[in-house]
Structure formats: C-alpha cells, structure tokens
C-alpha cells in the first residue's frame, strides 16, 4: 500500500512543510503555481514568487485566507515583469532532492502521448483493425493490468501556438518545411504588406527577437476559442486565463509526483525536472471535443449556435439544470411553453456537455422572457428541475471565504503497508508506478483526475455498474466505443460491482484493502449512505488516500445542483469569461469539469505525498468545482474586492474576421489590431498587414479536425488502439 517514508524527513502536517520554493517568471504562468505550493506548505522565495503569493494566507492548515493587492486588468503586462519568458520553479529541502518545474506558453518540441499507437492523420473516420477494437478490460474480479501501449515514435512538433492555418498558401512554407509566418520560435509572427484600410501612421516595427505566445494565442491555436465560441457562431476567447491556470496546476502535479517518487524510492527513481506548457493544457482541455473528430459517426446532437442562459421578464439571467427529461418537460409545461418546442429542446440541452452548444428552440427563450423570476423559480420547485441566477463578480467576491481549492485531513494512526508481490518502484517518467487507484467516477471530473494519475504511472481500476459504464456507448463512437469516453478512460481496468447491493459493497471493500487511493464523485451523502465514506474505508485500509471530487465541497449553504454550468452561474464565471460589452454567460465548454479534474488529481498527489511523510497514515482529500471556479476567477475576484472593474474590457480576446478565417491578436496588440479592417484579406495577407505595423496575431483554429494535420500538432496528436485522437501527455520529465 505505501512504502517506508524518507528517514530524513520529519512528520509533516502539510505535504510541502519545511520545503523551500523559488519562483520566477511572468505572473500569468506563476500565479497558480506559487499559490498552490504555498497552500501545500512550501516557503515561497523569489521576487516573482512573493508577488504571486501576495494575499494567500500562510498555510495554517488545508485552507487559507488573506487579502491581496489589486490585480492588473486581463491582458495588461505586469509592471516590471518579463511577459515573454517562461516560468521556472525550484522546490527543495528537508531530505528531498531538488525538483524543477518549467511552465512555457508553448514548447519547441512536444512528443506524442504514450497512448498513441498509430501515425494516422487527417480527419478521416477511424477504421481500426479487429485487434485494435477491444474495449478496456472489464470483469467482475481483479485482473492483471492491461499492457500500456508502446509509445509512438519520437515525433515532435514545433511550438504549439503557430498554425499556418488550413488556407495558408504553399509559398508561405520555408525550405525546412515550417511556416514562415508562424515558425516554431515565432508563434505569432506575421509578414509585411499594405492595405488601403490601414491607418495612416504605422506603429513601430517588431523587435528582431520574435515574440512569445500568450494566453490569447494559445487559446486560438489549441481550439479553445473554437469550442467556447460554438454557441456564438464564431470563435471567442475566454476572458480568464484558462490555459495558463491549467498549466500551473499541471506543473504542481508534476512536482508532487516527483517528490512522491523520491519518498518511495529515492532520487534514482525520480526525475529532476518537469516541463509543461499552456499549449499542452489547452489541448488537454479540448481533448474530448477533439476525440469526437476522429469518430466514425456523427455527433448525437447537431453543432449549431445557441444555448442557455435564459432571461426572465424582469431581467434575471439564469441557468437551468436537470438530468431528467420528465423534469425538463414539467418545468416548461408549468410555464406554458409549446409542446413541440419542449420536445425539440431536450436533446440539444441534454448533449450540451458534449457539444459545447445547445440550439434550443427560440420558443423556450420567449417563454422564459414572458415570466417573472419568482414564477420561474416556482416552476422549478414544482417540476424537480433547478434554476440558478447568474451572480456578479462583486457578489461572489463579497461572500468568498478564501478557502483553498482542496482540503487535506490526516486519518487514523500510521499503518504499515501490506505486502504485495507485484509492487513496482517508480521511474523518472512514471513516478506513480506501483500505485493503485480505485476510481468510481462518472462524467468528467473524477474520470479525468484518474486519467491524469494513470499518465503518471498509476494503475487505475474503474468501479463500474453491472453491464459496464453506460457512457461507453455515448455517441459518437470510434471503433465501437464512445470517443469521448476513451479520451478520459483509455488504459484503465474495470471491475463491475453493484454498490447498491451488500455483495457489491463487500467486493469494493476487498479491492480497497489492497489499494492506495479511492476516488469518487458521487452525489453528496451517497458514500455515507452506502457505508463507503472515508471512515468506513479507512477501517478496512488505514493507509488509504480517500479522495472526493464534488460540486460544492460543502462550502455554500444555498448551492444548487453541483454541475459545471450551474457552478459557473453561481460563482460568476459567466461574468469573468465574457467581456464587458457582452452579457454574462457561462461557457458551454466544460471549463470547470476539466479544471476540477485537474485539481482532483493535484489533491490526490498532495494526499499521497502527505501519507509518505507520515509513515503511511491515511489521508482524506476533497476538491470541488467551486474550488476550480475560484482558482480560475481569483484575479477578477481580487479586483472586485478592491473596487476595480473585475470584468474583461469590451472586445477582449475577440478574434478579427478575415476573408477566409479568423485572427487572434496577442493581448498587448489587440486594441491596435482592431483598428484594421481585415475582412477582405486572406489570412496570410492579413497577417502581413499587421506585421507591417508592428502588430502580432495568430490564425484561429476554427475546426478541430484541422488539428490532426496542423503543422504544430501533427507529430504529437496520435491515435489510440481504437483510432481515437490522443493529445500529448501534459508533462515531460527529464
């Protein structure tokens, strides 16, 4: 279960207690790293590190509170910062060898995932051979772990924010086969040209050193703008720094994993450096949507503009949630909506989590606008559906409790590990080798957390209901298995157990006895009701890391259903991601499910390290979508708390239309670039025009199919054994 702790390390109340962390780099890439390492117990050093940690409480426990200085407006360069440098973090002390993390915007070389077994390219439907179509192992008893597919060849890609674009002309390609407009080192570079629509006075020309990508270019290149913009019928940038935030969490994960490897096997079994990037985080964020592009059937619901929130007669914008078609119908019938619209609206509403859009009939929006908010709330109560009014950032800041995005609690006495014949030691690239994780997850949050732990080397055993997870059949399918399901669950083993029955719960406890982690995201109270809560399972295995990824983390008394879009509405994410000249609206891209899964994996790793530093004593870790929302919106909440405008400025990260596509200017060039009319110019010519005036931009990926053949990602986006697309692993260890 656990190995002997480091003899040179004292018992710790927090996983990084007595460790020192030096942080340097731009605020966008260091904010989350410094904050989270501090909350986990590390002493933060370095000028940049102290700036990022300003206002985060000293780690007196799992949670922290504190005030901060005012945050800069999104996209504005931090005074004194080097906006085009990567972040570098060094963590050392108390018996641990140094672990270094680097966080880049984009990396010059990115290898394919170890899950990739095919070099097939293009957006063609997958046609795997018979040998490739086997689903992940599923049985009713423990079985040997599935062999991990061999890694793909040493294919690499250039820096990941510089596509030539699907419409780039052949003459835009250099002799080396890279696009001159968007080279590996110049992710946003553009070439000279002129236009009658240009302002008379050009801005200064670019420096000789090419600019480095930023949040806007990463969102544009990786497809985040495309997916987020589906409801708007055109790409839109997220006002919050989503890719950079996710990259910061990935960096902390990599560092924790390497410290765990040291604690379990010493320096010889751990890497000294972990590298990640916002580009890798962006590809991970769209991995489920990308997986659907490799399917051999169409989406379950059509991709078209539209979706919630709805607006009441008295101006309240609100989200609606229900997983029950009967409750959906009852809600709208209570408001006298047309029956045909009720029936037509259910399917796009149901699949909006998968498609990031919901072309709901206008008649339903008109119905909502015909009734006051009080009447709508009453209809929700009587029907069993739930509604939530969109909060403002000021409202969220006023109630914010300053809690950390996860909590850690030590459980019971230290316990020696039971012997296990197949115990494997960690390796530099697989720091969790030999760790077993039982995952009873559904949808995205817990399955993604377990997926990340598997990529770090853990053996994942999914607990599925009799007959298997029904989401395996969710369209579109690739090789007979749901493409989206594969994106989160490939490579895992599965054990079927009916946890509603005494025999099924007994079976789960047997598995827990020989596991390191139990991870679930069941509905609140279900674990205790079934006798499978932390106190129950640590009685079976005192050294267990018990992990619960929830919606609200029991932090809000009036919380609605804890699903992605409801949490976005309640926590003002809908305001943080939309510029001030647009009405607030939660993104229909599953922002919080993905970021919540990342935080869930981070919490498990923190729990494993704390266990190692406490002689095998069990740990409970809790994370939530609420924690994900607060992590994403932290800069905006700080601005709101200090009376500054917390929302992104008008037009923020709004791509510019060209004759054949879209361009996303870097944040620092966006205001000046918006003065040019590019609508009549092909994308390469529009890039040329902007560069002639010292401005930088990058083509926007408007169709995820293009990522399969994009020069930036061709060598890193592979195919799994089912032919489904696979994005690169989030970290590189060396």
């Amino acid at each position: 279960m656990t190995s002997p702790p480091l003899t040179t390390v004292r018992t710790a109340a927090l996983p990084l207690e007595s460790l020192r962390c030096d942080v340097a780099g731009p605020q966008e890439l260091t904010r989350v790293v410094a904050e989270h390492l501090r909350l986990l117990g590390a002493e933060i050093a370095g000028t940049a590190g102290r700036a990022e940690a300003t206002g985060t409480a000293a780690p007196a426990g799992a949670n922290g509170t504190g005030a901060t200085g005012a945050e800069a407006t999104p996209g504005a360069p931090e005074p004194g910062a080097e906006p085009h440098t990567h972040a570098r973090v060094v963590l050392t002390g108390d018996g641990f060898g140094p672990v270094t993390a680097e966080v880049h915007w984009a990396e010059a070389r990115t290898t394919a995932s170890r899950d990739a077994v095919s070099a097939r390219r293009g957006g063609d439907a997958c046609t795997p051979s018979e040998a490739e179509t086997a689903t992940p192992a599923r049985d009713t008893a423990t079985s040997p772990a599935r062999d991990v597919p061999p890694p793909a060849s040493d294919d690499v890609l250039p820096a990941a924010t510089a596509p030539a674009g699907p419409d780039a002309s052949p003459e835009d390609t250099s002799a080396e086969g890279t696009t001159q407009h968007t080279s590996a080192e110049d992710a946003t570079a553009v070439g000279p040209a002129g236009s009658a629509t240009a302002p008379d006075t050009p801005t200064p020309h670019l420096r000789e050193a090419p600019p480095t990508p930023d949040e806007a270019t990463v969102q544009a290149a990786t497809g985040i703008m495309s997916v987020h913009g589906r409801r708007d019928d055109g790409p839109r940038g997220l006002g919050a720094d989503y890719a950079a935030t996710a990259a910061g969490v990935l960096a902390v994960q990599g560092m924790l994993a390497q410290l765990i490897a040291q604690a379990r096997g010493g320096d010889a079994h751990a890497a000294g450096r972990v590298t990640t990037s916002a580009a890798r985080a962006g590809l991970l964020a769209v991995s489920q949507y990308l997986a659907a592009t490799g399917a051999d059937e169409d989406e379950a619901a059509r991709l078209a503009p539209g979706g919630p929130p709805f607006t009441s007669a008295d101006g309240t914008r609100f989200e609606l949630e229900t997983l029950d078609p009967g409750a959906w119908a009852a809600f709208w019938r209570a408001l006298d909506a047309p029956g045909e619209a009720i029936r037509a609206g259910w399917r796009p509403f149901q699949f909006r989590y998968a498609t990031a859009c919901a072309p709901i009939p206008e008649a339903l929006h008109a119905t909502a606008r015909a009734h006051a908010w009080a009447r709508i709330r009453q209809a929700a109560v009587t029907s069993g559906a739930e509604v939530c009014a969109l909060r403002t950032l000021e409202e969220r800041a006023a109630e914010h409790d300053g809690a950390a995005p996860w909590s850690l609690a030590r459980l019971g006495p230290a316990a020696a590990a039971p012997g296990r014949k197949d115990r494997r030691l960690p390796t530099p690239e697989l720091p969790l080798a030999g760790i077993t994780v039982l995952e009873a997850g559904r949808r995205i949050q817990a399955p993604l957390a377990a997926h990340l732990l598997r990529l770090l080397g853990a053996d994942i055993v999914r607990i599925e209901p009799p007959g298997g997870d029904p989401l395996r059949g969710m369209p579109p399918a690739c090789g007979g298995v749901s493409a989206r399901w594969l994106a989160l669950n490939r490579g895992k083993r599965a054990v079927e157990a009916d946890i509603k029955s005494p025999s099924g719960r007994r079976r789960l406890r047997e598995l827990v006895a020989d596991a390191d982690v139990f991870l679930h995201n069941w509905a609140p109270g279900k674990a205790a009701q079934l006798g499978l809560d932390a106190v129950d399972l640590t009685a079976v295995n005192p050294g267990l890391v018990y992990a619960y990824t929830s919606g609200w983390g029991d932090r809000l008394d009036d919380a609605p259903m804890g699903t992605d879009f409801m949490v976005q509405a309640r926590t003002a994410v809908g305001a943080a991601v939309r510029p001030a000249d647009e009405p607030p609206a939660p993104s229909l891209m599953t922002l919080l499910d993905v970021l919540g899964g990342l935080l869930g994996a981070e919490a498990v790793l923190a729990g494993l390290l704390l266990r190692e530093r406490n002689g095998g004593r069990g740990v409970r870790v809790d994370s939530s979508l609420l924690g994900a929302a607060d992590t994403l919106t932290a800069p905006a909440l700080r601005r709101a708390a200090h009376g500054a405008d917390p929302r992104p400025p008008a037009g923020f990260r709004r791509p510019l239309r060209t004759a054949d596509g879209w361009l996303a200017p870097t944040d620092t060039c966006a205001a000046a670039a918006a003065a040019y009319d590019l609508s009549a110019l092909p994308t390469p010519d529009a890039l040329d025009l902007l560069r002639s005036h010292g401005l930088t931009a990058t083509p926007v990926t408007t169709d995820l199919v293009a990522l399969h053949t994009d020069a930036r990602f061709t060598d890193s986006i592979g195919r799994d054994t089912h032919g489904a697309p696979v994005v690169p692993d989030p970290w590189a260890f060396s």
Side-chain angles (χ1 to χ4, degrees):
M1 243 256 356
T2 184
S3 53
L6 288 169
T7 57
T8 56
V9 177
R10 298 181 292 106
T11 297
L14 289 167
L16 299 182
E17 184 179 295
S18 303
L19 274 71
R20 173 188 170 91
C21 178
D22 289 279
V23 182
Q27 181 182 20
E28 300 96 325
L29 296 178
T30 58
R31 174 182 71 85
V32 170
V33 180
E35 256 181 27
H36 288 199
L37 293 179
R38 182 184 175 99
L39 286 169
L40 291 170
E43 176 188 351
I44 305 297
T47 303
R50 286 193 297 271
E52 309 322 323
T54 299
T56 306
N63 298 332
T65 60
T68 71
E71 295 276 343
T73 299
E78 188 70 10
E82 293 292 337
H84 296 317
T85 61
H86 67 270
R88 188 172 186 270
V89 185
V90 181
L91 190 61
T92 189
D94 211 5
F96 289 97
V99 174
T100 300
E102 291 186 358
V103 187
H104 298 255
W105 287 114
E107 296 169 73
R109 298 171 67 84
T110 305
T111 56
S113 169
R114 63 176 57 91
D115 288 335
V117 296
S118 169
R120 280 178 298 209
R121 296 288 183 258
D124 55 305
C126 56
T127 54
S129 65
E130 183 177 348
E132 292 177 315
T133 57
T135 58
R138 185 168 77 234
D139 52 35
T140 55
T142 21
S143 59
R146 256 185 108 203
D147 291 336
V148 177
S153 62
D154 294 332
D155 289 338
V156 294
L157 85 158
T161 55
D167 302 305
S169 58
E171 58 268 28
D172 292 334
T173 302
S174 70
E176 290 77 22
T178 57
T179 302
Q180 292 177 347
H181 289 317
T182 52
S183 67
E185 294 299 323
D186 184 3
T188 59
V190 291
S195 170
T197 58
D200 294 334
T201 305
T203 55
H205 288 283
L206 286 175
R207 301 167 299 170
E208 290 186 8
T212 298
D214 66 353
E215 177 72 28
T217 58
V218 170
Q219 288 189 23
T222 59
I224 289 177
M225 284 190 177
S226 174
V227 177
H228 171 59
R230 284 180 178 178
R231 61 171 301 146
D232 298 302
D233 200 23
R236 289 289 186 276
L238 294 167
D241 288 350
Y242 188 79
T245 298
V249 178
L250 288 170
V252 176
Q253 291 173 2
M255 299 183 84
L256 290 172
Q258 292 305 318
L259 293 173
I260 293 167
Q262 287 189 36
R264 294 175 58 222
D267 288 348
H269 298 280
R273 185 176 74 170
V274 56
T275 304
T276 190
S277 69
R280 291 194 185 198
L283 289 175
L284 180 67
V286 301
S287 59
Q288 298 173 75
Y289 307 100
L290 176 63
T293 68
D296 45 18
E297 62 180 359
D298 293 333
E299 290 274 10
R302 69 188 180 96
L303 302 182
F310 301 95
T311 305
S312 68
D314 41 2
T316 298
R317 292 174 64 81
F318 67 94
E319 276 287 336
L320 167 68
E321 185 64 280
T322 178
L323 307 178
D324 178 7
W328 163 268
F331 171 80
W332 289 111
R333 282 199 300 265
L335 298 176
D336 302 317
E340 183 178 348
I342 296 172
R343 291 187 293 272
W346 169 247
R347 190 170 185 83
F349 178 84
Q350 177 189 23
F351 281 95
R352 70 198 189 284
Y353 284 92
T355 61
C357 59
I360 295 170
E362 170 57 29
L364 297 185
H365 286 279
T367 297
R369 290 193 297 268
H371 298 284
W373 175 233
R375 170 80 187 280
I376 289 169
R377 292 180 64 185
Q378 183 58 40
V381 170
T382 58
S383 66
E386 294 197 37
V387 292
C388 179
L390 271 61
R391 294 291 183 100
T392 67
L393 286 162
E394 291 84 358
E395 288 172 330
R396 177 62 190 144
E399 70 174 3
H400 188 225
D401 58 8
W406 18 244
S407 63
L408 311 173
R410 293 179 292 182
L411 302 172
R420 195 191 299 165
K421 295 180 181 178
D422 64 346
R423 194 64 173 175
R424 294 180 295 144
L425 286 174
T427 68
E429 290 191 349
L430 296 173
L432 296 191
I435 296 290
T436 297
V437 177
L438 298 183
E439 176 224 320
R442 56 180 186 170
R443 292 182 173 263
I444 298 173
Q445 189 182 10
L448 176 57
H451 171 69
L452 292 166
L453 298 173
R454 183 186 68 82
L455 292 178
L456 290 168
D459 178 26
I460 310 298
V461 181
R462 276 180 58 80
I463 307 300
E464 298 189 1
D469 186 349
L471 293 181
R472 289 173 181 261
M474 180 182 181
C478 200
V481 183
S482 169
R484 289 191 177 85
W485 189 91
L486 286 169
L488 300 175
N489 297 295
R490 63 170 62 90
K492 301 177 183 179
R493 293 193 281 134
V495 172
E496 294 180 8
D498 181 5
I499 59 173
K500 297 179 181 179
S501 71
S503 62
R505 293 192 291 274
R506 185 165 54 250
R507 178 67 179 126
L508 189 147
R509 293 189 186 96
E510 291 171 356
L511 294 171
V512 163
D514 198 36
D516 298 277
V517 178
F518 178 67
L519 167 68
H520 74 92
N521 63 339
W522 295 332
K526 181 176 180 180
Q529 178 185 355
L530 295 174
L532 300 174
D533 210 348
V535 65
D536 305 302
L537 296 187
T538 50
V540 176
N541 182 347
L544 186 70
V545 173
Y546 183 98
Y548 180 37
T549 62
S550 66
W552 298 103
D554 292 329
R555 286 172 51 197
L556 288 180
D557 294 333
D558 62 341
M561 188 184 302
T563 57
D564 190 310
F565 307 138
M566 294 292 267
V567 178
Q568 284 195 54
R570 179 63 178 77
T571 60
V573 171
V577 300
R578 292 269 172 173
D581 57 340
E582 297 179 12
S587 175
L588 288 181
M589 181 177 169
T590 50
L591 301 181
L592 299 187
D593 276 339
V594 170
L595 189 54
L598 288 169
L599 291 172
E602 182 185 48
V604 168
L605 290 163
L608 284 168
L609 181 58
L610 186 60
R611 184 186 71 168
E612 293 295 335
R613 301 191 70 187
N614 284 275
R617 184 177 180 178
V619 179
R620 172 166 182 150
V621 300
D622 288 82
S623 61
S624 65
L625 299 182
L626 175 59
D630 288 344
T631 299
L632 180 62
T633 61
L637 294 178
R638 289 166 184 162
R639 291 194 298 272
H642 286 80
D645 186 354
R647 294 193 67 193
F652 188 61
R653 291 187 185 148
R654 189 174 295 157
L656 306 176
R657 187 75 196 234
T658 67
D660 55 2
W662 299 80
L663 286 179
T666 57
D667 284 338
T668 54
C669 293
Y676 294 82
D677 181 0
L678 308 177
S679 60
L681 295 176
T683 297
D685 293 345
L687 287 168
D688 288 344
L689 168 63
L690 293 181
R691 182 169 188 179
S692 71
H693 294 277
L695 304 174
T696 56
T698 194
V700 179
T701 298
T702 55
D703 185 349
L704 298 189
V705 173
L707 291 176
H708 294 273
T709 52
D710 194 305
R712 299 160 301 168
F713 308 115
T714 300
D715 294 327
S716 61
I717 296 179
R719 302 275 184 168
D720 66 9
T721 55
H722 295 265
V726 180
V727 300
D729 293 347
W731 324 267
F733 297 106
S734 60

